Amino acid sequence: GNTSANGTNETIKLKMADSLPTTNYLSSEGAVFFMDRVKELTDGKVEFEYYPAEQIGKANSYLDLTLSKTIDIGYTSYSTDRLPLTEIATLPGAYSSAQEGSAIIWQLMKDYLAEEEYLKNGVRPLYAVALPQYQFVTSKKPVKSMEDIKGLKARVTGTMELGFDELGASPVFMPATEAYTAMERGTVDGVTFPFTSFAPYQIEAIAKYSTKGANLGSFTVVYSINEKLYQTLPEDVKEALAQAGDETVEHLSTFLDEKNDELAEEFSSKVEIYELSDKESAEWDKSLEPVWDRWAADLEKRGFNANETIKKYRELRESMK
Amino acid sequence: MTIAIPLICLALFLAFGMPIAFALGISGSIGLLMFSGWDSFLGILQTAPYDSVKSFLMSAIPMFILMAAFMTVSGIMKDLFEAAYKWLGKLPGGLGIATVFAGALMAAVSGSSQASAAAMSKAVAPEMKKYKYNTAFTMGVISIAGTLAVMIPPSIILILYGILTETGVGSLLIAAVVPGIITAIGYIVVIFVWVKLKPDIAPKIEINPTIKEKFASLKNVWPMLVIIIAVIGGIYSGFVTATEAGALGAFITLVVVFVMGRMNLNKFGTALNDTIKSTTMIMTIIIGAHIFSYFLTMTQSTQKVVALIEGMEVSRYWILAIIIFIYLILGFFMDQIAILILTLPLTFPIVVSLGFDPVWFGIIVTKTVEIGLVTPPVGMNVFVATGAAGVKTAEGFKGVKWFVLMDMLILILLIVLPFITLWLPSFMMK
Amino acid sequence: MDIIEKGFGKLEVLFLRLSQIALVIMMTLTTFDALSRHFFSKSITGAYEVTEMYLMVMLVFLSMSYVQKVDGHIRLDIIFERLSKRVQDILNIIFYLLAAAMMFFIGYQGFNMTLTAMQNNLIASGLINFPLWLSYIWIPIGSFLIMIRLILLVVLLGLGKDIQASDSRPEEVDFE
Ligand code: NA
Ligand code: NA
């Protein structure tokens, strides 16, 4: 980056990049909110150049672009090859609301994961937000129990592949842009999406049924800064980044939960929504628990401290209840 | 002002014949080195080539090309033309009309206009020469009939547009059907009028195939029909996604031509090599275009251009007109796929923010691509068609001029009457 | 020089073969994935990743050099074809040297990615764990291949050899 942190009065320019369209809440209420807060907290000393919407690279390239100093801050969520422990919050049943999940994963990062996997890879997490839990959306028949999922073809992403395999469904990978036509024509029986992602992919136009309150798994949004660059920043800027990060976690997760409820309400006129009771939800969580073991066993085998991460995650979740 | 240097490099490299992929990649690299330094240069050269290629969506490109290649090497494309010729040969400019028909049918299974133009040129040009058709007319018809492959679905251009803009590929393919048919009819009208005015360009042919011969010729058309029905049926029944349809089509074509005894190891190898050549050529251009566009992004110039156009206080139709004009101008000089990759990240957000329909804009852009494929100095279809027939490129450019005029009229028609494009998708997508 | 050219040509054809195999597997795998999904309600596990991570990368990178050899990377020749043979050769020498330099850096970066992925056992995880080095490695191989091809072309042009000779495809590739 072309940062110059020597003179105290000089402005510091940070390049931040992600793959999200600017219309996406994760950009407008996340990345943009974060940048605005940093600007305010530093009285304009820090300025940003923002490259959204894959302008500078595809989704999984932001860790490398940050490490090569092409950019300073990047969207590192998709670098699960090198940052796999962060995926813990995406496992089924990891939390029930975005606020809960975000609070846990962000604390876990500060306490443990930053040291355990981010700094080792040359980056430092600036904020992490867990999205509302993904629901299962179908167009032919409603899903009201785990039995109903058996034998269905389900469009999935990330660790949900393990979850749907566990439930006896057939996980299918396809680009999100094809989800609409795939469901309409029966290429798949259902898709996993959070309510907040329905609109961009026209899901509500084709969905007839959806679950609500199922914790099928989710996704964690993480932005990280190049550590070498970070170390050259003045103390007050570091503090501003930390405060803005905390505020973004709070702001975006609250926003997403509210939006999620609002959208579920809105869709209920077009989509038949089956809301799981707390008891049912807990049962689903229980039967998806083997996914955690599979996930951990695999990572342990590759030398990652997955069991330790799970232990710490559960302790944190307990302590925050 | 230094931003001008990489741009001038690009212009010079292209003008003096550096392979397009290298011209884009090298001038982009020069720009990155100048603007962002060594680290960014290495960073982009690490991520861009891999990310451009590692894409399931992009696999549609080799698969559709492979399907067309199997059709060409097995000769079923030639059969198709011969049948069309038996039925339509007696009409004024009959061979030309037969070519357009064959081109439209071929378009329905081929995503690549160059594959289509090359195949037709090999099959059709000798016939038209035999009957003393004017060379420019012949080359014009073949070049233009080849462009139907981009508008009549499936089309690599439409798929690429869908990928780049996240517009549903299914809707795009359906939306292109009516404009594609209108285009084919437009070309036939041009042939009719042209031959009426200048009968000597297409001498009347004394062929009188009997009804029996006519129907006999159809027996060689069935493979094409089977493949068309399988591919289109596969997409609309949900058996395959639009991306997977090319693979299914290639597979079915291979099975069909093998059963017909039209395939052997040599032909198979030729089809593979032709596919690899086209695919790698296209994908290498895509890599170069990404490097170049990341350089443009890092200078913030793209964002500034967008802001400038967005800030213009004129009617949204003026802005649209400017954008379409830019596409037509670029189409004279540049490769169509490179144009899309370079410009869509800029133009698409503007057009959508102005309230225009993304599917409709996709069809409009595709129409400008069709035109660009045959306009000088860089008209890929003319190059391919004349190259395959061993004729001077100038003859081809002379022969397409009236067709281009018709294309322009159709373009205006599609812009002025969006429902031509949008009624079919709105009906199909309920 | 001829021996080097011939030897390298053999190597090029070897990798072109892999590229062809990738193409055929891609067609078959995608088709059978759809068939399996339709008739058995079961996707072929990993079909998507294999196509994306391995086959696409192999297909493109391993054939780049061959495509250069047959002059398949298209160019705008409206001016080029009007120039004298000598000027064309000089231009080509400049173009190929620049392109070789670019491909060197792409290959070098790809090599580093491959090495990092190998040393750290990097994996794209899912029901099947896909090693990333096996996805990256085609980039350095393909990039260095085309780099050598470009340098060979420069040397041949510099020696005043007729490049046309190398434009004709070797028999084992051209099945016709
Ligand atoms: Na087509
Ligand atoms: Na043109």
Side-chain angles (χ1 to χ4, degrees), chain B residues 17 20 50 244 266 273 280, chain C residues 20 37 63 74-75 135 173 175:
Chain B
I20 297 170
Y50 180 69
E244 295 165 337
N266 280 350
N273 272 5
T280 302
Chain C
Q20 293 172 333
R37 207 171 49 213
S63 59
I74 55 158
R75 53 171 109 209
S135 172
V173 175
F175 295 83

Side-chain angles (χ1 to χ4, degrees), chain B residues 330-334 336 371-380 397:
Chain B
L330 289 176
F332 281 106
F333 304 101
M334 280 182 67
Q336 270 51 45
I371 295 170
L373 282 167
V374 293
T375 51
V378 182
M380 280 308 297
F397 287 124

Side-chain angles (χ1 to χ4, degrees), chain B residues 64 67 103-113 116 146-156 158 173:
Chain B
F64 276 114
M67 179 170 75
L105 264 182
M106 210 179 295
V109 286
S110 162
S112 155
S113 74
S116 182
T147 69
L148 287 169
V150 280
M151 189 57 94
I152 295 176
S155 146
I156 289 170
L158 285 171
L173 294 182

Side-chain angles (χ1 to χ4, degrees), chain B residues 26-75:
Chain B
I26 291 166
S27 44
S29 297
I30 291 171
L32 284 167
L33 282 168
M34 286 174 55
F35 275 89
S36 320
W38 190 248
D39 290 335
S40 299
F41 163 74
L42 286 179
I44 295 293
L45 257 54
Q46 178 187 339
T47 55
Y50 180 69
D51 289 343
S52 310
V53 171
K54 194 213 91 178
S55 161
F56 185 80
L57 282 166
M58 288 286 180
S59 72
I61 293 177
M63 291 297 102
F64 276 114
I65 296 178
L66 182 62
M67 179 170 75
F70 283 150
M71 290 176 175
T72 310
V73 296
S74 63

Side-chain angles (χ1 to χ4, degrees), chain C residues 19-82:
Chain C
S19 193
Q20 293 172 333
I21 292 170
L23 181 65
V24 175
I25 296 178
M26 194 185 292
M27 169 186 78
T28 317
L29 188 60
T30 307
T31 304
F32 280 83
D33 187 27
L35 287 170
S36 162
R37 207 171 49 213
H38 190 76
F39 292 110
F40 309 112
S41 268
K42 190 103 186 81
S43 253
I44 296 176
T45 307
Y48 186 94
E49 294 93 329
V50 166
T51 296
E52 175 167 288
M53 288 175 58
Y54 301 138
L55 301 176
M56 277 300 284
V57 187
M58 287 172 75
L59 171 61
V60 174
F61 275 90
L62 295 187
S63 59
M64 254 181 207
S65 174
Y66 165 75
V67 173
Q68 178 60 53
K69 180 199 176 104
V70 298
D71 205 12
H73 290 291
I74 55 158
R75 53 171 109 209
L76 316 184
D77 52 10
I78 202 88
I79 295 177
F80 190 78
E81 70 180 8
R82 280 153 213 250

Side-chain angles (χ1 to χ4, degrees), chain B residues 156-217:
Chain B
I156 289 170
I157 295 290
L158 285 171
I159 291 169
L160 198 62
Y161 178 91
I163 297 170
L164 293 170
T165 63
E166 303 213 330
T167 304
V169 172
S171 315
L172 284 167
L173 294 182
I174 299 171
V177 171
V178 176
I181 292 171
I182 291 176
T183 303
I185 294 172
Y187 294 159
I188 290 172
V189 169
V190 171
I191 293 173
F192 258 120
V193 174
W194 199 354
V195 173
K196 272 268 173 298
L197 295 177
K198 285 199 162 171
D200 53 316
I201 59 167
K204 246 200 154 61
I205 302 166
E206 294 309 321
I207 56 154
N208 279 306
T210 61
I211 290 289
K212 216 171 132 192
E213 279 172 330
K214 279 186 180 179
F215 277 96
S217 75

Side-chain angles (χ1 to χ4, degrees), chain A residues 81-82 87 151 153 161-162 165 170-175 187 294 298 302, chain C residues 37-38 41-43 45 48-49 121-123 125-129 132 136:
Chain A
D81 54 334
R82 276 161 289 176
E87 269 193 324
K153 291 170 284 183
E161 189 189 10
L162 298 175
D165 187 54
S170 177
V172 178
F173 277 95
M174 63 175 59
T187 313
R294 279 167 83 169
D298 183 46
R302 287 163 48 205
Chain C
R37 207 171 49 213
H38 190 76
S41 268
K42 190 103 186 81
S43 253
T45 307
Y48 186 94
E49 294 93 329
N121 192 17
L122 296 183
I123 267 166
S125 59
L127 285 175
I128 301 177
N129 282 335
L132 279 167
Y136 297 150

